[in-house]
């Protein structure tokens, strides 16, 4: 059981990698790798009952055309994973990660330099942007883990920098988070997750054939069940106001691991989400290296929030706002009406905000 739980560690949005690849003829897996892939999909894919595996094998055997083979495989993977999984050759994988990694570095640099706000924020509010994080598969595992910790530290450093005692509320911006490895993201925003000093440590779940596997933020670290997944250098540090309200910004670009963070904040005391429904890939992928060096992204789990709610589909916000600036404006208005910021009982901003966003 421990091995199976530890294998469910990465949720990757395949589309984000494939978008980095040039439009060209693509290879197909070797025959041994193809049989390995089909076996994994047939027995472990989340929606394996949506594919006639016997007919698929028959159709594959009847053609020597690589393009048709790739189309048949892609269609089967798409149906078995509801569009979240996929297959890539070793070369595609390296090229996709290289290009995506370069873009991620540029995005992180822009955030660190203080990217312009989409809407001016009240000085009493903190803002944390959580972008995608895609690991480099060419790195040794220990170096990948070091990179995960560094990414989480950058997010937490920004949190601690702003936590000077003047913040009465926080905005967590996931609007451009298209996915990647969820654990550095989860650790990075971890101090905001409990919602109070003695808050619950379960912040989300995977659901697979074995049942629910909880994600925990405990003792300043991230756990899967009772297995430590990622810890910071200083696990003792805490927010000055752990019960401060949190507003979450999401969009149709928020996907996969970005949706995992949406779910981790859903159900938190004093929290509300703003924006548009997410992309709808709130499922967990396991990257499996096949015998020919290619990679199958096997979607085998559903993501659920701390209360066990979630169906793998698009996640609707609490308050709809079509534009980022409007979502930010409504989030700020809601935060400033909360007792932590207003010093008085909050009036019901939900209906008002919804009416405003519909104008």
């Amino acid at each position: 059981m421990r091995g199976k739980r530890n294998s469910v560690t990465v949720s990757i949005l395949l589309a984000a990698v494939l978008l980095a690849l040039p439009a060209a003829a693509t290879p197909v897996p070797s025959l041994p790798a193809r049989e390995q892939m089909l076996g994994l999909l047939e027995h472990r894919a989340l929606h394996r009952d949506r594919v006639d595996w016997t007919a698929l094998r028959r159709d594959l055997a009847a053609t020597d055309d690589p393009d048709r083979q790739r189309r048949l495989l892609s269609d089967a993977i798409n149906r078995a994973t509801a569009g979240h999984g996929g297959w890539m050759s070793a070369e595609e994988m390296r090229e996709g990660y290289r290009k995506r990694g370069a873009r991620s570095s540029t995005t992180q640099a822009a955030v660190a330099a203080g990217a312009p706000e989409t809407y001016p924020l009240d000085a009493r509010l903190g803002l944390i942007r959580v972008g995608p994080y895609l690991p480099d598969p060419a790195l040794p595992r220990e170096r990948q883990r070091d990179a995960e910790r560094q990414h989480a530290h950058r997010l937490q450093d920004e949190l601690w920098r702003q936590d000077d005692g003047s913040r009465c509320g926080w905005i967590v911006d996931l609007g451009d988070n298209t996915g990647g490895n969820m654990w550095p993201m989860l650790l990075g925003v971890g101090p905001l997750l409990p919602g109070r000093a003695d808050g619950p440590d379960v912040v989300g779940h995977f659901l697979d054939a074995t049942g629910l596997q909880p994600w925990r933020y405990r003792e300043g670290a991230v756990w899967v069940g009772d297995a430590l997944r990622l810890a910071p250098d200083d696990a003792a540090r805490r927010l000055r106001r752990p019960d401060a309200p949190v507003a979450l910004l999401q969009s149709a670009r928020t996907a996969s691991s970005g949706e995992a963070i949406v779910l981790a904040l859903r159900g938190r005391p004093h929290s509300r989400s703003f924006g548009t429904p997410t992309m709808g890939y709130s499922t967990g992928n396991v990257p499996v290296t096949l015998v020919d060096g290619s990679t199958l992204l096997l979607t085998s789990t559903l993501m659920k929030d701390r209360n066990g709610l979630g169906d793998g589909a698009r996640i609707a916000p609490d308050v709809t706002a079509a534009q980022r600036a409007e979502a930010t404006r409504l989030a700020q208005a809601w935060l400033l009406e909360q007792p932590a910021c207003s010093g008085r009982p909050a009036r019901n901003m939900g209906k008002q905000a919804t009416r405003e966003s519909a104008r």
Side-chain angles (χ1 to χ4, degrees):
M1 176 65 72
R2 177 64 59 86
K4 180 173 179 57
R5 290 188 177 185
N6 287 344
S7 71
V8 188
T9 58
V10 180
S11 176
I12 296 175
L13 178 62
L14 176 65
V17 178
L18 293 181
L19 285 174
L21 297 173
T26 50
V28 294
S30 67
L31 185 57
R34 190 176 80 189
E35 285 306 309
Q36 182 186 8
M37 177 200 304
L38 293 177
L40 288 166
L41 290 166
E42 183 176 5
H43 297 290
R44 291 177 51 189
L46 190 62
H47 304 291
R48 52 192 177 272
D49 58 338
R50 297 180 181 178
V51 177
D52 185 334
W53 300 103
T54 300
L56 174 62
R57 285 185 170 90
R58 182 181 63 242
D59 292 343
L60 286 168
T63 180
D64 293 327
D65 181 359
D67 289 338
R68 174 158 172 74
Q69 289 178 1
R70 184 67 180 259
R71 287 195 298 271
L72 287 169
L73 290 171
S74 296
D75 178 66
I77 294 170
N78 185 64
R79 284 184 283 136
T81 66
H84 196 186
W87 175 85
M88 285 181 287
S89 68
E91 179 58 33
E92 286 176 322
M93 197 75 170
R94 285 191 296 269
E95 183 67 8
Y97 272 104
R98 185 186 67 78
K99 292 188 176 181
R100 176 75 189 282
R103 285 205 300 268
S104 295
S105 298
T106 301
T107 300
Q108 291 298 331
V111 171
E117 308 297 349
T118 56
Y119 184 83
L121 287 184
D122 189 285
R124 292 168 292 172
L125 302 180
L127 171 65
I128 301 296
R129 290 187 177 90
V130 185
Y133 175 73
L134 209 60
D136 183 351
L139 293 176
R141 184 67 195 108
E142 188 53 41
R143 288 189 61 189
Q144 289 189 35
R145 189 63 59 90
D146 288 342
E148 291 175 17
R149 282 191 287 265
Q150 291 170 15
H151 185 79
H153 289 162
R154 284 193 291 270
L155 288 172
Q156 286 200 358
D157 285 347
E158 182 61 22
L159 191 66
W160 303 135
R161 183 187 69 78
Q162 297 181 57
D163 188 33
D164 57 4
S166 66
R167 311 297 174 183
C168 63
W170 295 89
I171 293 177
V172 177
D173 188 350
L174 292 161
D176 292 318
N177 192 320
T178 52
N181 186 324
M182 67 181 280
W183 305 117
M185 305 175 197
L186 199 63
L187 181 61
V189 301
L192 292 170
L193 294 176
R196 60 178 191 268
D198 61 344
D201 63 5
V202 174
V203 298
H205 298 86
F206 288 123
L207 174 65
D208 64 10
T210 67
L212 285 175
Q213 301 176 26
W215 319 331
R216 302 181 188 275
Y217 182 74
R218 185 172 69 194
E219 300 167 359
V222 170
W223 304 67
V224 182
D226 293 321
L228 178 63
R229 183 57 186 79
L230 196 62
D233 292 334
D234 183 2
R237 194 163 185 179
R238 299 290 185 271
L239 284 173
R240 295 171 186 259
R241 300 181 180 180
D243 59 345
V246 170
L248 169 69
L249 303 183
Q250 63 181 66
S251 76
R253 286 175 49 79
T254 307
S256 191
S257 292
E259 289 169 298
I261 309 306
V262 172
L263 291 172
L265 284 164
R266 192 167 73 176
R268 175 199 185 273
H270 316 298
S271 66
R272 180 165 292 193
S273 57
F274 299 80
T276 59
T278 61
M279 189 174 289
Y281 292 120
S282 51
T283 49
N285 278 343
V286 177
V288 180
T289 301
L290 304 178
V291 293
D292 63 355
S294 63
T295 298
L296 171 67
L297 297 177
L298 178 63
T299 307
S300 57
T301 61
L302 284 176
M303 295 178 182
K304 293 181 176 289
D305 65 16
R306 64 186 67 197
N307 297 313
L309 302 177
D311 58 5
R314 302 175 77 187
I315 304 169
D318 295 315
V319 179
T320 299
Q323 303 299 322
R324 182 79 61 86
E326 178 69 356
T328 306
R329 183 183 73 80
L330 294 174
Q332 175 171 261
W334 176 77
L335 286 168
L336 295 178
E337 285 289 335
Q338 300 312 297
C341 290
S342 68
R344 63 180 185 275
R347 55 194 172 92
N348 186 349
M349 287 294 295
K351 294 181 179 179
Q352 175 181 332
T354 302
R355 287 196 298 270
E356 289 178 352
S357 66
R359 292 176 182 171

